[in-house]
Amino acid sequence: MRNFTLTKVACARISLTAILILSLFTPASSQVRMRANLMIVDANGATLMDGNMTNYGANYSNAIDGYDIWKMSNFGENFGILRSTANLVIERRSLINTTDTTYFRMWNVQQRNYRLQVIAENLHTFNLVAFIRDRFLNQDIQVGLNDTSNINFSVTSNPASSAQNRFLLIYRDINAAGGALPVQFTSIQLQRKNNDVQVSWKVENEINMVKYVVEYAADAVHFAAVQEVASSNSTLSRSYSIADNLHAGTDHFYRIRAIDLGGKIQYSAVA
């Protein structure tokens, strides 16, 4: 009998094998799905540690059945989907009507910087808005519905920062009645102009918004406020723009923090 030891990276690759196989053999144009990856972020860049995937289709059920694939626990960081008492690596669900929520579960995380990467494909055809809710920071971060969204976060000495249920992905129908929807960031763009960086963003449904805070970081992790802009509180599409002094660093990362009347915070994607 031969003995062997699996490394953390090897285990992560095993848990992602089913996702990769399904991705390779299904045409991208016909997929309605969401992939979520957990990455370590350090001086060397971002390293994929684990991930999960949800496929949406009219022939699938929201109940746990033979179409769902249970997750195998890794030695290192784990990032799955918690549905009732089941830990899943691949979930198949019905097409979203008005609302849906994916409850992520992460464990074996350490005190360091991470990235939650959400890759959505063809979900933009269902009149949805989607956002990641960070229960530890009490923040909602909007994610694209046919795009890749990267959300950096840190696990600290605070036990709540490593809570297994820290993150969930919430879908809402933009036409559904009842309950206020979060402000929608439809774009954020950067343009260099002489010694300034022009930061422009567009929003919709900004009712009850107080202001937007433009934040800058040289490393896409440690953001600091640079300017504030008052909200116009419009139900229509609105555009905003500010000029920020060009910083000494070679890389420039910006995001927009939206604050509503109740003090709730939402973030745009990072540009």
Side-chain angles (χ1 to χ4, degrees), residues 96-109:
I96 303 170
N97 287 324
T98 57
T99 65
D100 197 23
T101 301
T102 298
Y103 299 89
F104 295 119
R105 182 189 176 211
M106 66 177 185
W107 66 100
N108 288 353
V109 292

Side-chain angles (χ1 to χ4, degrees), residues 69-203:
I69 299 178
W70 288 58
K71 174 173 168 48
M72 181 178 67
S73 185
N74 304 322
F75 296 137
E77 284 87 344
N78 286 260
F79 194 57
I81 297 169
L82 182 63
R83 193 66 67 180
S84 184
T85 58
N87 288 313
L88 304 176
V89 64
I90 295 178
E91 182 179 29
R92 270 120 174 187
R93 293 179 66 76
S94 300
L95 292 173
I96 303 170
N97 287 324
T98 57
T99 65
D100 197 23
T101 301
T102 298
Y103 299 89
F104 295 119
R105 182 189 176 211
M106 66 177 185
W107 66 100
N108 288 353
V109 292
Q110 303 177 35
Q111 291 184 27
R112 53 186 173 190
N113 296 323
Y114 289 95
R115 174 173 297 164
L116 171 56
Q117 182 181 72
V118 178
I119 306 172
E121 297 178 59
N122 299 318
L123 281 159
H124 63 303
T125 61
F126 295 94
N127 296 320
L128 298 174
V129 60
F131 52 96
I132 289 288
R133 176 158 294 167
D134 184 337
R135 286 169 161 162
F136 172 60
L137 297 179
N138 191 29
Q139 297 173 355
D140 289 339
I141 305 106
Q142 187 172 344
V143 297
L145 291 168
N146 196 35
D147 200 359
T148 298
S149 303
N150 293 309
I151 301 166
N152 292 334
F153 68 98
S154 297
V155 172
T156 67
S157 58
N158 188 330
S161 69
S162 60
Q164 294 188 3
N165 66 345
R166 175 172 172 173
F167 295 105
L168 56 157
L169 175 60
I170 299 174
Y171 297 99
R172 292 290 183 269
D173 187 333
I174 60 177
N175 299 316
L181 291 173
V183 63
Q184 293 175 252
F185 288 95
T186 56
S187 71
I188 175 171
Q189 297 179 338
L190 308 180
Q191 182 179 3
R192 181 171 177 173
K193 290 188 175 181
N194 299 320
N195 293 323
D196 292 332
V197 176
Q198 195 79 20
V199 184
S200 304
W201 67 99
K202 294 181 180 179
V203 297

